Amino acid sequence: MFLALLIALIAVFVVAYLLGASRARALSGGDPARLHSLPSYHGSYVAIAAALPAFLLLIVWSIAAPIIADRMVLGQFTDAIAGMTQPEAEAFLRDARAIAFGGIVGFTDATKEAAAEFYSGIRTTTNTILILIMAALALGGGYLATRSQTAEKRTRQVVERVMMIVLIACSVVAILTTIGIVLSLIFESIRFFQKVPFTEFLFGLQWSPQTALRADQVGSAGAFGAVPLFVGTLLITTIAIAVAAPIGLLSAIYLSDYAGKRFRAAAKPVLEVLAGIPTVVYGFFAALTVAPFFRRSGEAVGLTVSSESALAAGIVMGIMIIPFVSSLSDDVINAVPQTLRDGSAGLGATKSETIRKVILPAALPGIVSALILAISRAIGETMIVVMAAGLAANLTINPLEAVTTVTVQIVTLLIGDQEFDSAKTLAAFALGLVLFGVTLVLNFIALRVVQRYREQYD
Amino acid sequence: MDATITTEASPTEAPAPAELVNNQKMTARKVDVFYGDKQALFDVDLDIHEHQVISLIGPSGCGKSTFLRCLNRMNDTIDGCRVTGAIELDDQDIYEKSIDVVEIRARVGMVFQKPNPFPKSIYENVAYGPRIHGMTRSKAELEEVVVTSLQRAGLFEEVKDRLESPGTGLSGGQQQRLCIARAIAVSPEVILMDEPCSALDPIATAKIEELMDELRTNYTIVIVTHSMQQAARVSQRTAFFHLGYLVEEGETDQIFTNPQDDRTHDYITGRFG
Ligand SMILES: Nc1ncnc2c1ncn2[C@@H]1O[C@H](COP(=O)(O)OP(=O)(O)O)[C@@H](O)[C@H]1O
Ligand SMILES: [Mg+2]
């Protein structure tokens, strides 16, 4: 229904556009210069007048109609629903809708059948009304717009204004969604902190979120001290950066200052392909290749390396973020003006002296922010650590042991059937909030540094 | 055509051949420069005399900068650039295999068109060259080099209270003098300047021109300029380039009052350029 109306509206739009444009051409009497706005603007003007009001109505209607229908059904069947609890009433409506419009029905009875009947009755009437109003809006809008078309009519201004409003509306949607996500994170976290004290979460050393179904079960209390997760995240991130920073930075230097044009043109895309590999692929690379390799090498020299180790996950994650470091660093190193390189070379400095003493200090802020962005990426990375680092919340800084991270725990907390008000599930939101806060701060710092650095050369 | 140039230029050099032979600091012989397949300089012969300022003039794209960059092998840093012929500094071919380009660039310093101080403090900018060449043995010695270089570049009085502030914070003219101080600090024998005033206002330009006349007592200076007035003011000799050829070279007065070649005449009277 919605789709059919949408297609109809598009047809209206096209027809109105052609109509408006051709009318404008007729108005110009063969001399386009007599028109204030080009015929295409006239076309758009008429098309917008015809299609936009009807389109807005369609959107509002699609959102509001089901709610109103529910209300009407509830009003009609007060007796039947009076005895029900809230979830029961919702199930009742759900089943009635399913009977009426198709879907999986729990079970039926006479009242539900009646309600379903009522539902389809409402649907038919409202749809007829909707189509009639939309047709009226389209015809009326189109008619008024064509009537107002004159050679002097400033349709360009109208069209530009409408375009701007549409663009604003879209960005508002994007911003509101973000705000909505953040708010839901915050509210759910607040609910979590009502169950588990804030200080215990931040400073507690014990993490075992399994709350028991029966009171006499072992470990029924559940412990929500997140320090082991923070330490695990930090450990893996540190290993990742220790791998990615030198390799990424040195390859960036090579690419920007040593490599020939040809090699650079070939190598840069290849490095960036690394960034396009799905992280789950890195994940099984880490779990199936790297981790066993470390375990065997460890055994060979008499070390016990657990089969899921922070080292394996960290190194693979480091490989994953190499392209971020190298690509961003390459950009900032290239942004250092050639005149500085010439100035240094003109004083008799060698290439490596120039790089160490002029280029790197000048590019340092940019490089730092590249590293910060890479860190924030590593902190938020999930797949690799899920597969290679393990689930055990060990509080350790030994890279050969299994550790777990914030992201891994969020995943495990939310896998499977959930009750959305247990501390266990809500803990995921609190962890998510921490993750969000940390990466937000890191990205903010990185962007500020980059900005200050840009100003230096502009 | 090259033959005529040499013969035309030689009468003006004729009066003092003995003196000229003695004080040649650099000589270029049969210099061709190619960028890839494209030839930018054709068979250039030029002498650069000690303790003089020589101006290279000519319409843009004629190869002035290209020739200047040959003199300290800065062309080495450009991909696909090839130099043939001989360029000698104190009778030593600077393109010979055994020659260290680092040493050449220390002896032949360069100042660029756009002031390009490093994003470091004023002090560190000047100390940069002496540091990389390991020229000083102590901190005090380095400081002395920095101060004298700044003094010779006529900048010391203006910056002596803020040697630790960034060089990029100076005005354009000050930055260019800082770059001159930076070049002086490695005690070069020749200083190359590629349109050093083109990014500066008239007052800053006047300061630099004044400075060049002072620097001449200690250094040999080659300056590329697009301003004929500047060439006339600062240089003892002038060389006119056109389309990659050195058309004419001689005493600045003679070039501007009595050019031997029609193209030189047309250029200095503003008929093209
Ligand atoms: N890096 C380069 N690569 C290729 N061609 C160049 C390069 N630099 C200069 N050229 C060419 O060499 C010629 C001389 O240039 P240049 O020496 O910069 O002239 P000028 O300094 O007299 O204006 C010009 O035709 C220019 O296009
Ligand atoms: Mg030039």
Side-chain angles (χ1 to χ4, degrees):
Chain A
M1 184 65 195
F2 180 82
L3 202 64
L5 284 175
L6 203 62
I7 292 171
L9 273 181
I10 293 173
V12 166
F13 189 90
V14 172
V15 170
Y17 178 90
L18 295 174
L19 193 73
S22 77
R23 261 190 57 93
R25 257 179 244 113
L27 282 172
S28 74
D31 175 15
R34 278 184 49 211
L35 290 174
H36 168 271
S37 307
L38 290 172
S40 66
Y41 281 107
H42 278 271
S44 310
Y45 170 68
V46 176
I48 289 169
L52 190 62
F55 175 70
L56 292 178
L57 177 73
L58 178 62
I59 297 288
V60 173
W61 197 283
S62 311
I63 296 169
I67 301 172
I68 295 172
D70 283 355
R71 282 282 152 74
M72 289 171 73
V73 173
L74 286 176
Q76 192 71 19
F77 292 84
T78 28
D79 303 341
I81 288 164
M84 296 183 185
T85 62
Q86 173 82 16
E88 277 170 347
E90 275 169 20
F92 173 79
L93 289 179
R94 200 160 47 234
D95 281 351
R97 277 199 302 266
I99 296 167
F101 311 125
I104 297 163
V105 185
F107 63 97
T108 69
D109 56 31
T111 357
K112 272 187 195 166
E113 296 286 356
E117 193 86 354
F118 193 71
Y119 259 120
S120 34
I122 297 173
R123 167 82 56 106
T124 323
T125 355
T126 52
N127 277 351
T128 323
I129 298 174
L130 173 64
I131 292 172
L132 286 179
I133 301 182
M134 279 178 65
L137 280 177
L139 287 176
Y143 175 70
L144 287 180
T146 33
R147 269 265 312 264
S148 73
Q149 272 185 297
T150 57
E152 294 78 35
K153 176 80 183 171
R154 300 174 163 242
T155 56
R156 173 158 36 96
Q157 274 83 339
V158 178
V159 173
E160 293 290 335
R161 171 68 46 90
V162 172
M163 279 305 294
M164 191 183 79
I165 293 173
V166 169
L167 295 181
I168 290 176
C170 289
S171 31
V172 166
V173 168
I175 293 168
L176 286 185
T177 333
T178 316
I179 293 177
I181 292 172
V182 173
L183 283 184
S184 86
L185 262 186
I186 291 175
F187 285 126
E188 300 295 333
S189 302
I190 289 174
R191 281 175 66 196
F192 171 74
F193 289 127
Q194 282 162 355
K195 294 175 195 277
V196 176
F198 187 64
T199 44
E200 188 200 319
F201 174 73
L202 270 195
F203 304 113
L205 302 182
Q206 186 73 33
W207 178 266
S208 71
Q210 282 309 337
T211 37
L213 298 173
R214 295 199 326 268
D216 56 352
Q217 211 167 303
V218 191
S220 62
F224 292 94
V227 169
L229 314 191
F230 298 151
V231 171
T233 307
L234 203 66
L235 178 63
I236 289 184
T237 306
T238 310
I239 296 171
I241 286 299
V243 170
I247 296 180
L249 189 54
L250 294 181
S251 65
I253 292 173
Y254 177 75
L255 277 184
S256 66
D257 278 76
Y258 285 88
K261 270 208 195 85
R262 279 241 213 86
F263 181 79
R264 186 185 150 81
K268 215 174 168 199
V270 170
L271 257 183
E272 271 153 20
V273 164
L274 273 182
I277 297 176
T279 54
V280 67
V281 176
Y282 283 107
F284 60 69
F285 174 58
L288 302 182
T289 312
V290 180
F293 170 75
F294 280 133
R295 199 158 58 110
R296 266 181 277 118
S297 328
E299 273 165 6
V301 295
L303 281 172
T304 37
V305 183
S306 76
S307 55
E308 292 172 320
S309 65
L311 192 62
I315 285 179
V316 174
M317 192 189 279
I319 293 171
M320 179 194 83
I321 58 178
I322 285 173
F324 290 88
V325 179
S326 73
S327 179
L328 288 172
S329 306
D330 181 56
D331 288 346
V332 289
I333 291 174
N334 265 321
V336 176
Q338 180 64 29
T339 55
L340 289 186
R341 293 182 172 83
D342 291 344
S344 177
L347 288 166
T350 62
K351 211 159 191 172
S352 80
E353 281 168 340
T354 303
I355 287 165
R356 273 183 291 125
K357 303 199 166 147
V358 177
I359 311 289
L360 286 185
L364 193 63
I367 291 170
V368 168
S369 64
L371 287 179
I372 294 176
L373 286 179
I375 290 175
S376 103
R377 191 85 203 174
I379 290 178
E381 168 49 35
T382 313
M383 255 3 251
I384 294 175
V385 275
V386 167
M387 296 169 81
L391 303 175
N394 292 328
L395 181 53
T396 176
I397 53 166
N398 179 355
L400 303 179
E401 279 182 44
V403 296
T404 192
T405 67
V406 175
T407 50
V408 170
Q409 286 308 312
I410 294 178
V411 171
T412 52
L413 288 175
L414 294 182
I415 282 177
D417 291 337
Q418 301 302 329
E419 1 162 24
F420 263 83
D421 48 1
S422 77
K424 181 186 164 204
T425 316
L426 291 174
F429 288 97
L431 289 176
L433 188 66
V434 170
L435 206 56
F436 172 75
V438 170
T439 43
L440 183 74
V441 168
L442 286 179
N443 289 1
F444 179 76
I445 295 173
L447 287 180
R448 283 300 299 270
V449 174
V450 169
Q451 237 168 30
R452 294 248 312 267
Y453 163 75
R454 288 244 166 83
E455 283 160 13
Q456 206 179 323
Y457 293 119
D458 291 346
Chain B
M1 181 175 68
D2 303 319
T4 43
I5 292 163
T6 339
T7 46
E8 275 172 3
S10 50
T12 56
E13 289 172 16
E19 182 208 80
L20 284 184
V21 171
N22 287 338
N23 70 0
Q24 281 161 357
K25 185 69 190 172
M26 296 189 81
T27 58
R29 290 290 175 267
K30 294 197 173 307
V31 173
D32 291 328
V33 178
F34 302 84
Y35 290 110
D37 296 332
K38 188 171 159 261
Q39 188 163 4
L41 277 186
F42 299 85
D43 198 22
V44 173
D45 285 0
L46 185 67
D47 293 338
I48 292 157
H49 304 277
E50 196 158 22
H51 299 310
Q52 287 197 344
V53 178
I54 178 168
S55 294
L56 313 183
I57 61 169
S60 66
C62 67
K64 308 181 296 287
S65 301
T66 300
F67 180 72
L68 197 72
R69 285 196 303 263
C70 291
L71 298 178
N72 70 342
R73 291 184 53 177
M74 278 299 279
N75 282 333
D76 293 9
T77 64
I78 297 175
D79 273 348
C81 182
R82 197 158 51 82
V83 180
T84 63
I87 295 177
E88 292 185 350
L89 172 64
D90 287 340
D91 300 323
Q92 187 179 35
D93 188 348
I94 64 171
Y95 279 87
E96 200 178 280
K97 282 226 167 57
S98 61
I99 294 288
D100 184 3
V101 64
V102 166
E103 186 213 343
I104 294 299
R105 300 217 182 114
R107 290 174 64 191
V108 184
M110 190 158 201
V111 175
F112 297 82
Q113 185 164 355
K114 194 169 160 260
N116 58 350
F118 302 133
K120 300 171 181 287
S121 72
I122 293 172
Y123 184 93
E124 285 301 321
N125 261 282
V126 184
Y128 183 81
R131 282 224 169 99
I132 58 174
H133 293 295
M135 286 167 51
T136 53
R137 260 161 293 145
S138 67
K139 243 182 131 180
E141 208 179 324
L142 180 63
E143 196 165 327
E144 198 188 312
V145 170
V146 171
V147 170
T148 37
S149 304
L150 284 169
Q151 279 166 340
R152 284 194 177 174
L155 188 61
F156 186 67
E157 287 306 314
E158 289 160 61
V159 301
K160 63 181 177 201
D161 301 325
R162 47 175 173 147
L163 289 177
E164 292 312 318
S165 56
T168 41
L170 297 172
S171 75
Q174 289 173 326
Q175 286 189 12
Q176 196 60 301
R177 277 180 283 147
L178 178 61
C179 292
I180 292 174
R182 190 173 72 183
I184 290 174
V186 292
S187 318
E189 297 153 42
V190 182
I191 302 176
L192 313 175
M193 300 188 180
D194 193 349
E195 303 194 23
C197 303
S198 65
L200 305 184
D201 62 69
I203 295 175
T205 301
K207 277 221 174 90
I208 303 244
E209 288 180 0
E210 209 176 297
L211 180 61
M212 275 191 271
D213 211 47
E214 290 165 20
L215 291 176
R216 183 158 72 87
T217 48
N218 292 308
Y219 312 96
T220 303
I221 296 177
V222 186
I223 175 178
V224 170
T225 174
H226 57 245
S227 151
M228 281 170 284
Q229 290 83 347
Q230 184 168 66
R233 282 193 299 263
V234 301
S235 62
Q236 284 70 52
R237 297 188 75 86
T238 295
F240 172 64
F241 283 74
H242 187 225
L243 296 177
Y245 292 92
L246 172 59
V247 174
E248 186 170 355
E249 192 270 346
E251 301 270 344
T252 297
D253 285 345
Q254 174 259 315
I255 294 281
F256 281 99
T257 54
N258 184 22
Q260 304 295 304
D261 193 287
D262 286 346
R263 289 168 291 177
T264 319
H265 180 264
D266 287 352
Y267 182 69
I268 61 173
T269 53
R271 218 162 292 165
F272 66 87

